[in-house]
Amino acid sequence: MARKITELMNRQMLSGMEKEISREVLAEIIGSFIREVGEHLNALSESGNRQEQAAIIAEAHAIKSSAGTFGASHLHKVAGQVEVLGREGRLAEAIAAIDIVEDIAEKTIQTFTCEYIDATGAGPR
Amino acid sequence: MSKQRNSKLLLVEDSLSLAKLYQEFLSSMSVDVIHVTEGRAGLEQIERSDPDVVLLDLNLPDINGIEVLKQLEQLPHDPTVVVVTAMGTVNTAVEAMRAGAFDFLQKPFDAERLRVTVRNALQQQSLKALIKTYEDNFERDSFHGFIGSSIPIQTVYRIIESAASSRASVFITGESGSGKEVCADAIHTEGDRRNKPFIALNCAAIPQELMESEVFGHIKGAFTGASGDRKGAATMADGGTLFLDEIGEMDLALQSKLLRFVQTGTFQKVGSNKIEKVDVRFISATNRNPLGMVAEGTFREDLYYRLHVIPIHLPPLRECSSDILMIACKYLKDYSTEEGKNFKGFSKEATNIMVRYHWPGNVRQLQNIIRNIVVLQVGELITEDMLPALLSGIDDVKTVGPKQYLLDANQKQTDFQPVKPLWLIEKDAIEDAIEACDGNVPRAAALLEVSPSTIYRKRQGWTG
C-alpha cells in the first residue's frame, strides 16, 4: 500500500513545498489543484468522445503540467503519454489511454484528499 | 522617510493552483504580483501596470506565450519576460528567446529556482533602466536619422524628445541641407503617433494649382482631369503626422484654408461640400525666416502663430564643427560599402580642411562630396588632393558655377567670359546640370547640392 501511494504522490517534493509555504497553505492550494484536475479530466473525456485532437492535447497537457508541479508523478506520466500520442497524430491510441488517465487521476485525487484535505480540514476555495 | 517601491511582477498563468503556488513562493520577495489567466489580458495588464517582470506561461487558453511576446514587441513597454512551460523542449526555449524572452523556466521547478530566476530578471530590468537613464542624460552621437554629439545638436535631440509626445505644432527652421525632414521624421517616430502615418508634402515641389488637391484631396469631376476621387495628405495623415516642408512657398489663398484646417481639424476635398474631420499633428519647415515672410506679407501671421508653437532651429553644419568628421566617417563607411571601395578614413590635412570649411549646403553637401570622392577615387585614405578645391578656399572663381566644379575642379579658368546677370548664370548652371543628367531633376539637384524643390521653384519663376 505504501509503495502505491509513493507512485501517486511524490512526498519528497511536497515536503519541500511544506517547508516553503506551510502545510496549511499548501493544503488550500492542493484543494484548487484537485478541483482543476477534475475539470480538465471532464474536458479530456469529452474531447476524447468527440475525437478532437487539439483539445485532447491541450487538456492532457494541462493535467500533466499541474500534476508534475504538485508531485502527482503517476498522473504526470500518463497524462504526458496521452499528450505525446495526440501530438504524434495517434488519435485512437490517445483516446484509448484517456481511460488510464481517468483511473490514475481518480486514485491521485483520493490520495491527495486523504493526505491534505481530510487531514487538515482544508477544502477547495 | 520615503518608502522604496516594490517591483511589479505580472504572472500570466491559466492554472489557479499553480498561480497560487508561485505567489506563495514569491511572498518572501519585495514583489507585488498581479495575476491574469489569459494572454490578451496579460498584454492589457502590461499596458496598464507597466510591470518590471512578466512570468509568462506558454500554453494559454486564448493566444500562446510566443504570440504574447511578439505582440509585446509592438508596445512601448519593455518588461523582462521569463517564459514558463511544461513542454521543456530546446526548440521552445530557443523560439521564446528569439521572440524576446530573457529566461526560461521548465515545470516543475522549486521555490528557490523561481526566486533566483525572478531576482535575475529584476536585475536585468534595473540594468535596462540604468542604460536608458544613461542614454537620456549623457551625450549621444546619433539620434534617429541625425549624427552628431556637439552641444547644438544635443539641444535639438532634447527638444525633439520633449516635443514628440505632445500634439502641439512644431515649426522647423534651418538652412537647406540641415536635416529638416530628418527632424520631422524623428519627432513622429519618437512620439505616440509612431505607428500611424507620417505624410510629408513639399509645398515647393508641387505646382500651386495642384497643391490644394494634394493637401485635401478631390472628388471626381472637381476639375479637368479629376477622373476619380482622390485622398489628400490630410486624410492619409489621419491619426499621424502631416509634414509641410517649405511651407513658405504655399500661396496665400491656400494658406487661409490650411489655417481653418489647423484650427478645427476639418476640411473639404476640392469640389466637395462635405466637411471631413481628422486628427493630425502638424510639423512645418522652411529654410527662410518665417517672421520675415510674415513682414513681407507672403505668409499669414495668424497661420504663423498656429504653426509656430514649438520652434526647432537646426544648426548649420559649420556651427557643429566637432561633428563634421563623425558625419563624414559615417557616410564614408556607408558609401564605401555600397560602392565596393576600401576607404577607411581621412588624412590629417583633409580633416583640417573639412573642419575649417563653412559648408553652405550643410550635411547634404558633405554627403555629396563624400559620395563623389568614393565613386571617383581609389585608396584607403581620403587625402587633401581628393577634396574639391572649393573646400580649401584656394580657387573661389571656380565655385561660381557648379558646372566647373563638377567637370574639373582643378582646371584653371582662363577664357574671358562676358559678364552675365547672376540669375542667368544660375539658370544656365541648373539647365546644364539637368541636361547632363538626361533630364533627371533629382539627380541634377543632388549634384548641384540643392533640394529638387529648389530647382522646381526656380524653373517656375523663369517661366512665370
PDB file of all heavy atoms in Angstrom, chain A residues 13 17 20-21 25 29 32-33 35-36 61 64-66 68-70 87, chain B residues 14-18 20-22 24-25 59 86-87 107-108 111-112 115:
ATOM      1  N   MET A  13       8.842  15.877  -2.743  1.00  0.00           N
ATOM      2  CA  MET A  13       8.545  17.160  -3.394  1.00  0.00           C
ATOM      3  C   MET A  13       7.569  17.983  -2.542  1.00  0.00           C
ATOM      4  O   MET A  13       7.754  19.189  -2.345  1.00  0.00           O
ATOM      5  CB  MET A  13       7.927  16.852  -4.754  1.00  0.00           C
ATOM      6  CG  MET A  13       8.212  17.847  -5.805  1.00  0.00           C
ATOM      7  SD  MET A  13       7.722  17.110  -7.372  1.00  0.00           S
ATOM      8  CE  MET A  13       7.495  18.590  -8.277  1.00  0.00           C
ATOM      9  N   MET A  17       7.793  21.659  -0.432  1.00  0.00           N
ATOM     10  CA  MET A  17       6.823  22.769  -0.541  1.00  0.00           C
ATOM     11  C   MET A  17       6.286  23.156   0.822  1.00  0.00           C
ATOM     12  O   MET A  17       6.106  24.336   1.115  1.00  0.00           O
ATOM     13  CB  MET A  17       5.657  22.365  -1.443  1.00  0.00           C
ATOM     14  CG  MET A  17       5.983  22.364  -2.909  1.00  0.00           C
ATOM     15  SD  MET A  17       4.483  22.056  -3.855  1.00  0.00           S
ATOM     16  CE  MET A  17       5.153  21.201  -5.234  1.00  0.00           C
ATOM     17  N   GLU A  20       8.433  25.476   2.576  1.00  0.00           N
ATOM     18  CA  GLU A  20       8.414  26.821   1.991  1.00  0.00           C
ATOM     19  C   GLU A  20       7.182  27.615   2.412  1.00  0.00           C
ATOM     20  O   GLU A  20       7.273  28.782   2.755  1.00  0.00           O
ATOM     21  CB  GLU A  20       8.397  26.726   0.452  1.00  0.00           C
ATOM     22  CG  GLU A  20       9.741  26.481  -0.172  1.00  0.00           C
ATOM     23  CD  GLU A  20      10.671  27.680  -0.062  1.00  0.00           C
ATOM     24  OE1 GLU A  20      10.177  28.812   0.101  1.00  0.00           O
ATOM     25  OE2 GLU A  20      11.894  27.471  -0.109  1.00  0.00           O
ATOM     26  N   ILE A  21       6.014  26.969   2.334  1.00  0.00           N
ATOM     27  CA  ILE A  21       4.779  27.757   2.445  1.00  0.00           C
ATOM     28  C   ILE A  21       3.830  27.258   3.534  1.00  0.00           C
ATOM     29  O   ILE A  21       2.701  27.749   3.613  1.00  0.00           O
ATOM     30  CB  ILE A  21       4.030  27.799   1.082  1.00  0.00           C
ATOM     31  CG1 ILE A  21       3.599  26.403   0.626  1.00  0.00           C
ATOM     32  CG2 ILE A  21       4.879  28.434   0.016  1.00  0.00           C
ATOM     33  CD1 ILE A  21       2.725  26.414  -0.622  1.00  0.00           C
ATOM     34  N   VAL A  25      -1.239  26.153   4.103  1.00  0.00           N
ATOM     35  CA  VAL A  25      -1.393  26.899   2.848  1.00  0.00           C
ATOM     36  C   VAL A  25      -1.313  25.931   1.660  1.00  0.00           C
ATOM     37  O   VAL A  25      -2.092  26.020   0.710  1.00  0.00           O
ATOM     38  CB  VAL A  25      -0.307  28.005   2.727  1.00  0.00           C
ATOM     39  CG1 VAL A  25      -0.361  28.667   1.349  1.00  0.00           C
ATOM     40  CG2 VAL A  25      -0.490  29.038   3.811  1.00  0.00           C
ATOM     41  N   ILE A  29      -3.968  25.130  -1.492  1.00  0.00           N
ATOM     42  CA  ILE A  29      -3.614  25.156  -2.919  1.00  0.00           C
ATOM     43  C   ILE A  29      -3.895  23.798  -3.559  1.00  0.00           C
ATOM     44  O   ILE A  29      -4.380  23.716  -4.695  1.00  0.00           O
ATOM     45  CB  ILE A  29      -2.130  25.568  -3.098  1.00  0.00           C
ATOM     46  CG1 ILE A  29      -1.920  26.997  -2.577  1.00  0.00           C
ATOM     47  CG2 ILE A  29      -1.714  25.481  -4.557  1.00  0.00           C
ATOM     48  CD1 ILE A  29      -0.484  27.462  -2.545  1.00  0.00           C
ATOM     49  N   SER A  32      -7.332  23.525  -4.736  1.00  0.00           N
ATOM     50  CA  SER A  32      -7.537  24.096  -6.088  1.00  0.00           C
ATOM     51  C   SER A  32      -7.042  23.129  -7.157  1.00  0.00           C
ATOM     52  O   SER A  32      -7.684  22.948  -8.198  1.00  0.00           O
ATOM     53  CB  SER A  32      -6.741  25.390  -6.249  1.00  0.00           C
ATOM     54  OG  SER A  32      -7.229  26.366  -5.401  1.00  0.00           O
ATOM     55  N   PHE A  33      -5.902  22.495  -6.866  1.00  0.00           N
ATOM     56  CA  PHE A  33      -5.318  21.552  -7.825  1.00  0.00           C
ATOM     57  C   PHE A  33      -6.297  20.405  -8.103  1.00  0.00           C
ATOM     58  O   PHE A  33      -6.553  20.036  -9.253  1.00  0.00           O
ATOM     59  CB  PHE A  33      -3.976  21.043  -7.264  1.00  0.00           C
ATOM     60  CG  PHE A  33      -3.468  19.787  -7.887  1.00  0.00           C
ATOM     61  CD1 PHE A  33      -3.132  19.731  -9.239  1.00  0.00           C
ATOM     62  CD2 PHE A  33      -3.291  18.631  -7.118  1.00  0.00           C
ATOM     63  CE1 PHE A  33      -2.648  18.566  -9.805  1.00  0.00           C
ATOM     64  CE2 PHE A  33      -2.813  17.462  -7.687  1.00  0.00           C
ATOM     65  CZ  PHE A  33      -2.498  17.426  -9.035  1.00  0.00           C
ATOM     66  N   ARG A  35      -9.533  20.362  -7.734  1.00  0.00           N
ATOM     67  CA  ARG A  35     -10.692  20.843  -8.499  1.00  0.00           C
ATOM     68  C   ARG A  35     -10.337  20.999  -9.986  1.00  0.00           C
ATOM     69  O   ARG A  35     -11.079  20.584 -10.858  1.00  0.00           O
ATOM     70  CB  ARG A  35     -11.171  22.179  -7.933  1.00  0.00           C
ATOM     71  CG  ARG A  35     -12.559  22.559  -8.434  1.00  0.00           C
ATOM     72  CD  ARG A  35     -12.922  23.964  -8.044  1.00  0.00           C
ATOM     73  NE  ARG A  35     -12.001  24.911  -8.646  1.00  0.00           N
ATOM     74  CZ  ARG A  35     -11.532  25.997  -8.031  1.00  0.00           C
ATOM     75  NH1 ARG A  35     -11.876  26.254  -6.794  1.00  0.00           N
ATOM     76  NH2 ARG A  35     -10.720  26.822  -8.654  1.00  0.00           N
ATOM     77  N   GLU A  36      -9.166  21.553 -10.233  1.00  0.00           N
ATOM     78  CA  GLU A  36      -8.747  21.770 -11.628  1.00  0.00           C
ATOM     79  C   GLU A  36      -8.544  20.454 -12.367  1.00  0.00           C
ATOM     80  O   GLU A  36      -8.942  20.314 -13.522  1.00  0.00           O
ATOM     81  CB  GLU A  36      -7.430  22.563 -11.667  1.00  0.00           C
ATOM     82  CG  GLU A  36      -7.640  24.043 -11.507  1.00  0.00           C
ATOM     83  CD  GLU A  36      -6.335  24.820 -11.451  1.00  0.00           C
ATOM     84  OE1 GLU A  36      -5.248  24.196 -11.442  1.00  0.00           O
ATOM     85  OE2 GLU A  36      -6.400  26.040 -11.390  1.00  0.00           O
ATOM     86  N   HIS A  61      -2.163  18.148 -21.592  1.00  0.00           N
ATOM     87  CA  HIS A  61      -1.014  18.996 -21.239  1.00  0.00           C
ATOM     88  C   HIS A  61      -1.273  19.721 -19.910  1.00  0.00           C
ATOM     89  O   HIS A  61      -0.391  19.794 -19.042  1.00  0.00           O
ATOM     90  CB  HIS A  61      -0.753  20.011 -22.345  1.00  0.00           C
ATOM     91  CG  HIS A  61       0.327  20.984 -22.011  1.00  0.00           C
ATOM     92  ND1 HIS A  61       1.652  20.731 -22.264  1.00  0.00           N
ATOM     93  CD2 HIS A  61       0.295  22.191 -21.389  1.00  0.00           C
ATOM     94  CE1 HIS A  61       2.380  21.747 -21.830  1.00  0.00           C
ATOM     95  NE2 HIS A  61       1.572  22.651 -21.305  1.00  0.00           N
ATOM     96  N   LYS A  64      -0.968  17.255 -17.081  1.00  0.00           N
ATOM     97  CA  LYS A  64       0.449  16.892 -16.918  1.00  0.00           C
ATOM     98  C   LYS A  64       1.202  18.010 -16.179  1.00  0.00           C
ATOM     99  O   LYS A  64       1.973  17.764 -15.257  1.00  0.00           O
ATOM    100  CB  LYS A  64       1.067  16.675 -18.302  1.00  0.00           C
ATOM    101  CG  LYS A  64       2.543  16.318 -18.264  1.00  0.00           C
ATOM    102  CD  LYS A  64       3.206  16.391 -19.619  1.00  0.00           C
ATOM    103  CE  LYS A  64       3.618  17.806 -19.938  1.00  0.00           C
ATOM    104  NZ  LYS A  64       4.419  17.936 -21.159  1.00  0.00           N
ATOM    105  N   SER A  65       0.937  19.245 -16.616  1.00  0.00           N
ATOM    106  CA  SER A  65       1.662  20.393 -16.087  1.00  0.00           C
ATOM    107  C   SER A  65       1.437  20.574 -14.583  1.00  0.00           C
ATOM    108  O   SER A  65       2.387  20.667 -13.807  1.00  0.00           O
ATOM    109  CB  SER A  65       1.196  21.630 -16.861  1.00  0.00           C
ATOM    110  OG  SER A  65       1.701  22.764 -16.262  1.00  0.00           O
ATOM    111  N   SER A  66       0.160  20.576 -14.159  1.00  0.00           N
ATOM    112  CA  SER A  66      -0.137  20.751 -12.723  1.00  0.00           C
ATOM    113  C   SER A  66       0.326  19.537 -11.933  1.00  0.00           C
ATOM    114  O   SER A  66       0.893  19.672 -10.849  1.00  0.00           O
ATOM    115  CB  SER A  66      -1.633  20.918 -12.479  1.00  0.00           C
ATOM    116  OG  SER A  66      -2.140  21.869 -13.323  1.00  0.00           O
ATOM    117  N   GLY A  68       2.717  17.470 -12.462  1.00  0.00           N
ATOM    118  CA  GLY A  68       4.175  17.478 -12.295  1.00  0.00           C
ATOM    119  C   GLY A  68       4.597  18.416 -11.192  1.00  0.00           C
ATOM    120  O   GLY A  68       5.452  18.089 -10.365  1.00  0.00           O
ATOM    121  N   THR A  69       3.974  19.596 -11.156  1.00  0.00           N
ATOM    122  CA  THR A  69       4.344  20.594 -10.145  1.00  0.00           C
ATOM    123  C   THR A  69       3.989  20.130  -8.734  1.00  0.00           C
ATOM    124  O   THR A  69       4.736  20.369  -7.795  1.00  0.00           O
ATOM    125  CB  THR A  69       3.646  21.937 -10.455  1.00  0.00           C
ATOM    126  OG1 THR A  69       4.127  22.382 -11.721  1.00  0.00           O
ATOM    127  CG2 THR A  69       3.929  22.992  -9.403  1.00  0.00           C
ATOM    128  N   PHE A  70       2.823  19.451  -8.574  1.00  0.00           N
ATOM    129  CA  PHE A  70       2.385  19.050  -7.230  1.00  0.00           C
ATOM    130  C   PHE A  70       2.824  17.631  -6.856  1.00  0.00           C
ATOM    131  O   PHE A  70       2.324  17.065  -5.895  1.00  0.00           O
ATOM    132  CB  PHE A  70       0.857  19.199  -7.113  1.00  0.00           C
ATOM    133  CG  PHE A  70       0.441  20.648  -7.075  1.00  0.00           C
ATOM    134  CD1 PHE A  70      -0.091  21.257  -8.195  1.00  0.00           C
ATOM    135  CD2 PHE A  70       0.639  21.401  -5.929  1.00  0.00           C
ATOM    136  CE1 PHE A  70      -0.447  22.598  -8.184  1.00  0.00           C
ATOM    137  CE2 PHE A  70       0.281  22.742  -5.903  1.00  0.00           C
ATOM    138  CZ  PHE A  70      -0.259  23.344  -7.030  1.00  0.00           C
ATOM    139  N   ARG A  87      -0.020  14.512 -30.043  1.00  0.00           N
ATOM    140  CA  ARG A  87       0.872  15.317 -30.903  1.00  0.00           C
ATOM    141  C   ARG A  87       1.392  14.508 -32.076  1.00  0.00           C
ATOM    142  O   ARG A  87       1.663  15.051 -33.149  1.00  0.00           O
ATOM    143  CB  ARG A  87       2.058  15.847 -30.088  1.00  0.00           C
ATOM    144  CG  ARG A  87       1.699  16.963 -29.162  1.00  0.00           C
ATOM    145  CD  ARG A  87       2.919  17.634 -28.561  1.00  0.00           C
ATOM    146  NE  ARG A  87       2.535  18.456 -27.428  1.00  0.00           N
ATOM    147  CZ  ARG A  87       1.968  19.665 -27.522  1.00  0.00           C
ATOM    148  NH1 ARG A  87       1.736  20.178 -28.709  1.00  0.00           N
ATOM    149  NH2 ARG A  87       1.627  20.350 -26.439  1.00  0.00           N
TER     150      ARG A  87
ATOM    151  N   ASP B  14      -2.747  30.206 -16.571  1.00  0.00           N
ATOM    152  CA  ASP B  14      -4.174  29.864 -16.576  1.00  0.00           C
ATOM    153  C   ASP B  14      -4.567  28.934 -15.432  1.00  0.00           C
ATOM    154  O   ASP B  14      -5.743  28.847 -15.091  1.00  0.00           O
ATOM    155  CB  ASP B  14      -4.590  29.276 -17.932  1.00  0.00           C
ATOM    156  CG  ASP B  14      -3.838  28.015 -18.273  1.00  0.00           C
ATOM    157  OD1 ASP B  14      -2.655  27.910 -17.891  1.00  0.00           O
ATOM    158  OD2 ASP B  14      -4.421  27.132 -18.920  1.00  0.00           O
ATOM    159  N   SER B  15      -3.621  28.241 -14.830  1.00  0.00           N
ATOM    160  CA  SER B  15      -3.968  27.354 -13.718  1.00  0.00           C
ATOM    161  C   SER B  15      -3.932  28.136 -12.403  1.00  0.00           C
ATOM    162  O   SER B  15      -2.903  28.683 -12.019  1.00  0.00           O
ATOM    163  CB  SER B  15      -2.970  26.186 -13.666  1.00  0.00           C
ATOM    164  OG  SER B  15      -3.005  25.600 -12.384  1.00  0.00           O
ATOM    165  N   LEU B  16      -5.104  28.158 -11.715  1.00  0.00           N
ATOM    166  CA  LEU B  16      -5.178  28.925 -10.465  1.00  0.00           C
ATOM    167  C   LEU B  16      -4.312  28.314  -9.374  1.00  0.00           C
ATOM    168  O   LEU B  16      -3.708  29.022  -8.577  1.00  0.00           O
ATOM    169  CB  LEU B  16      -6.628  29.016  -9.986  1.00  0.00           C
ATOM    170  CG  LEU B  16      -7.560  29.854 -10.872  1.00  0.00           C
ATOM    171  CD1 LEU B  16      -8.975  29.851 -10.309  1.00  0.00           C
ATOM    172  CD2 LEU B  16      -7.054  31.280 -11.009  1.00  0.00           C
ATOM    173  N   SER B  17      -4.250  26.970  -9.362  1.00  0.00           N
ATOM    174  CA  SER B  17      -3.444  26.325  -8.313  1.00  0.00           C
ATOM    175  C   SER B  17      -1.965  26.655  -8.492  1.00  0.00           C
ATOM    176  O   SER B  17      -1.270  26.970  -7.528  1.00  0.00           O
ATOM    177  CB  SER B  17      -3.664  24.809  -8.321  1.00  0.00           C
ATOM    178  OG  SER B  17      -3.300  24.262  -9.567  1.00  0.00           O
ATOM    179  N   LEU B  18      -1.491  26.606  -9.747  1.00  0.00           N
ATOM    180  CA  LEU B  18      -0.085  26.941  -9.994  1.00  0.00           C
ATOM    181  C   LEU B  18       0.175  28.414  -9.686  1.00  0.00           C
ATOM    182  O   LEU B  18       1.198  28.758  -9.086  1.00  0.00           O
ATOM    183  CB  LEU B  18       0.290  26.630 -11.446  1.00  0.00           C
ATOM    184  CG  LEU B  18       0.299  25.144 -11.828  1.00  0.00           C
ATOM    185  CD1 LEU B  18       0.703  24.963 -13.285  1.00  0.00           C
ATOM    186  CD2 LEU B  18       1.237  24.347 -10.943  1.00  0.00           C
ATOM    187  N   LYS B  20      -1.359  30.306  -7.544  1.00  0.00           N
ATOM    188  CA  LYS B  20      -1.320  30.493  -6.077  1.00  0.00           C
ATOM    189  C   LYS B  20       0.008  30.004  -5.516  1.00  0.00           C
ATOM    190  O   LYS B  20       0.600  30.629  -4.643  1.00  0.00           O
ATOM    191  CB  LYS B  20      -2.457  29.701  -5.422  1.00  0.00           C
ATOM    192  CG  LYS B  20      -3.809  30.395  -5.488  1.00  0.00           C
ATOM    193  CD  LYS B  20      -4.827  29.546  -4.749  1.00  0.00           C
ATOM    194  CE  LYS B  20      -6.244  30.002  -5.055  1.00  0.00           C
ATOM    195  NZ  LYS B  20      -7.227  29.082  -4.485  1.00  0.00           N
ATOM    196  N   LEU B  21       0.461  28.863  -6.028  1.00  0.00           N
ATOM    197  CA  LEU B  21       1.718  28.299  -5.534  1.00  0.00           C
ATOM    198  C   LEU B  21       2.880  29.248  -5.820  1.00  0.00           C
ATOM    199  O   LEU B  21       3.693  29.529  -4.931  1.00  0.00           O
ATOM    200  CB  LEU B  21       1.979  26.945  -6.198  1.00  0.00           C
ATOM    201  CG  LEU B  21       3.217  26.194  -5.694  1.00  0.00           C
ATOM    202  CD1 LEU B  21       3.012  25.710  -4.258  1.00  0.00           C
ATOM    203  CD2 LEU B  21       3.548  25.011  -6.596  1.00  0.00           C
ATOM    204  N   TYR B  22       2.955  29.781  -7.058  1.00  0.00           N
ATOM    205  CA  TYR B  22       4.049  30.692  -7.404  1.00  0.00           C
ATOM    206  C   TYR B  22       3.984  31.963  -6.547  1.00  0.00           C
ATOM    207  O   TYR B  22       5.007  32.482  -6.113  1.00  0.00           O
ATOM    208  CB  TYR B  22       4.006  31.082  -8.889  1.00  0.00           C
ATOM    209  CG  TYR B  22       4.103  29.915  -9.856  1.00  0.00           C
ATOM    210  CD1 TYR B  22       3.607  30.021 -11.151  1.00  0.00           C
ATOM    211  CD2 TYR B  22       4.689  28.704  -9.480  1.00  0.00           C
ATOM    212  CE1 TYR B  22       3.678  28.969 -12.045  1.00  0.00           C
ATOM    213  CE2 TYR B  22       4.754  27.640 -10.365  1.00  0.00           C
ATOM    214  CZ  TYR B  22       4.248  27.766 -11.643  1.00  0.00           C
ATOM    215  OH  TYR B  22       4.319  26.719 -12.512  1.00  0.00           O
ATOM    216  N   GLU B  24       2.860  32.214  -3.554  1.00  0.00           N
ATOM    217  CA  GLU B  24       3.379  31.870  -2.213  1.00  0.00           C
ATOM    218  C   GLU B  24       4.902  31.785  -2.245  1.00  0.00           C
ATOM    219  O   GLU B  24       5.573  32.262  -1.329  1.00  0.00           O
ATOM    220  CB  GLU B  24       2.788  30.535  -1.734  1.00  0.00           C
ATOM    221  CG  GLU B  24       1.321  30.605  -1.353  1.00  0.00           C
ATOM    222  CD  GLU B  24       1.061  31.515  -0.155  1.00  0.00           C
ATOM    223  OE1 GLU B  24       1.962  31.670   0.700  1.00  0.00           O
ATOM    224  OE2 GLU B  24      -0.037  32.095  -0.075  1.00  0.00           O
ATOM    225  N   PHE B  25       5.439  31.183  -3.299  1.00  0.00           N
ATOM    226  CA  PHE B  25       6.906  31.065  -3.427  1.00  0.00           C
ATOM    227  C   PHE B  25       7.565  32.453  -3.431  1.00  0.00           C
ATOM    228  O   PHE B  25       8.669  32.626  -2.941  1.00  0.00           O
ATOM    229  CB  PHE B  25       7.273  30.360  -4.738  1.00  0.00           C
ATOM    230  CG  PHE B  25       7.102  28.851  -4.717  1.00  0.00           C
ATOM    231  CD1 PHE B  25       7.249  28.115  -5.884  1.00  0.00           C
ATOM    232  CD2 PHE B  25       6.822  28.166  -3.545  1.00  0.00           C
ATOM    233  CE1 PHE B  25       7.110  26.739  -5.883  1.00  0.00           C
ATOM    234  CE2 PHE B  25       6.663  26.786  -3.535  1.00  0.00           C
ATOM    235  CZ  PHE B  25       6.812  26.069  -4.711  1.00  0.00           C
ATOM    236  N   ASN B  59       1.531  27.965 -22.633  1.00  0.00           N
ATOM    237  CA  ASN B  59       0.243  27.397 -23.064  1.00  0.00           C
ATOM    238  C   ASN B  59      -0.901  28.122 -22.382  1.00  0.00           C
ATOM    239  O   ASN B  59      -1.180  27.894 -21.209  1.00  0.00           O
ATOM    240  CB  ASN B  59       0.185  25.917 -22.688  1.00  0.00           C
ATOM    241  CG  ASN B  59       0.674  25.053 -23.817  1.00  0.00           C
ATOM    242  OD1 ASN B  59       1.570  25.451 -24.567  1.00  0.00           O
ATOM    243  ND2 ASN B  59       0.082  23.895 -23.968  1.00  0.00           N
ATOM    244  N   ALA B  86       5.717  23.608 -19.622  1.00  0.00           N
ATOM    245  CA  ALA B  86       5.924  22.220 -19.229  1.00  0.00           C
ATOM    246  C   ALA B  86       6.497  21.419 -20.397  1.00  0.00           C
ATOM    247  O   ALA B  86       6.866  20.279 -20.245  1.00  0.00           O
ATOM    248  CB  ALA B  86       4.597  21.611 -18.792  1.00  0.00           C
ATOM    249  N   MET B  87       6.544  22.034 -21.541  1.00  0.00           N
ATOM    250  CA  MET B  87       6.983  21.282 -22.713  1.00  0.00           C
ATOM    251  C   MET B  87       8.453  20.871 -22.577  1.00  0.00           C
ATOM    252  O   MET B  87       8.812  19.747 -22.818  1.00  0.00           O
ATOM    253  CB  MET B  87       6.817  22.128 -23.968  1.00  0.00           C
ATOM    254  CG  MET B  87       5.386  22.228 -24.407  1.00  0.00           C
ATOM    255  SD  MET B  87       5.333  23.329 -25.797  1.00  0.00           S
ATOM    256  CE  MET B  87       3.606  23.289 -26.153  1.00  0.00           C
ATOM    257  N   LYS B 107       8.727  23.566 -16.067  1.00  0.00           N
ATOM    258  CA  LYS B 107       7.960  22.953 -14.974  1.00  0.00           C
ATOM    259  C   LYS B 107       8.353  21.478 -14.863  1.00  0.00           C
ATOM    260  O   LYS B 107       8.556  20.847 -15.900  1.00  0.00           O
ATOM    261  CB  LYS B 107       6.460  23.024 -15.265  1.00  0.00           C
ATOM    262  CG  LYS B 107       5.856  24.398 -15.263  1.00  0.00           C
ATOM    263  CD  LYS B 107       4.376  24.271 -15.640  1.00  0.00           C
ATOM    264  CE  LYS B 107       3.756  25.607 -15.944  1.00  0.00           C
ATOM    265  NZ  LYS B 107       2.389  25.496 -16.459  1.00  0.00           N
ATOM    266  N   PRO B 108       8.378  20.883 -13.687  1.00  0.00           N
ATOM    267  CA  PRO B 108       8.195  21.552 -12.395  1.00  0.00           C
ATOM    268  C   PRO B 108       9.507  22.175 -11.911  1.00  0.00           C
ATOM    269  O   PRO B 108      10.568  21.673 -12.226  1.00  0.00           O
ATOM    270  CB  PRO B 108       7.778  20.404 -11.486  1.00  0.00           C
ATOM    271  CG  PRO B 108       8.400  19.185 -12.072  1.00  0.00           C
ATOM    272  CD  PRO B 108       8.511  19.426 -13.549  1.00  0.00           C
ATOM    273  N   ALA B 111      10.799  26.383  -5.340  1.00  0.00           N
ATOM    274  CA  ALA B 111      10.667  27.799  -4.938  1.00  0.00           C
ATOM    275  C   ALA B 111      11.967  28.560  -5.168  1.00  0.00           C
ATOM    276  O   ALA B 111      11.951  29.699  -5.654  1.00  0.00           O
ATOM    277  CB  ALA B 111      10.255  27.861  -3.473  1.00  0.00           C
ATOM    278  N   GLU B 112      13.091  27.933  -4.820  1.00  0.00           N
ATOM    279  CA  GLU B 112      14.370  28.640  -4.910  1.00  0.00           C
ATOM    280  C   GLU B 112      14.721  28.944  -6.368  1.00  0.00           C
ATOM    281  O   GLU B 112      15.202  30.030  -6.691  1.00  0.00           O
ATOM    282  CB  GLU B 112      15.473  27.798  -4.249  1.00  0.00           C
ATOM    283  CG  GLU B 112      16.760  28.552  -3.961  1.00  0.00           C
ATOM    284  CD  GLU B 112      16.563  29.918  -3.269  1.00  0.00           C
ATOM    285  OE1 GLU B 112      15.621  30.069  -2.479  1.00  0.00           O
ATOM    286  OE2 GLU B 112      17.356  30.833  -3.565  1.00  0.00           O
ATOM    287  N   ARG B 115      12.681  31.907  -7.419  1.00  0.00           N
ATOM    288  CA  ARG B 115      13.139  33.176  -6.830  1.00  0.00           C
ATOM    289  C   ARG B 115      14.447  33.651  -7.480  1.00  0.00           C
ATOM    290  O   ARG B 115      14.604  34.839  -7.757  1.00  0.00           O
ATOM    291  CB  ARG B 115      13.301  33.033  -5.311  1.00  0.00           C
ATOM    292  CG  ARG B 115      11.954  33.028  -4.576  1.00  0.00           C
ATOM    293  CD  ARG B 115      12.132  33.213  -3.085  1.00  0.00           C
ATOM    294  NE  ARG B 115      12.740  32.052  -2.471  1.00  0.00           N
ATOM    295  CZ  ARG B 115      12.073  31.103  -1.828  1.00  0.00           C
ATOM    296  NH1 ARG B 115      10.756  31.194  -1.691  1.00  0.00           N
ATOM    297  NH2 ARG B 115      12.694  30.079  -1.293  1.00  0.00           N
TER     298      ARG B 115
END
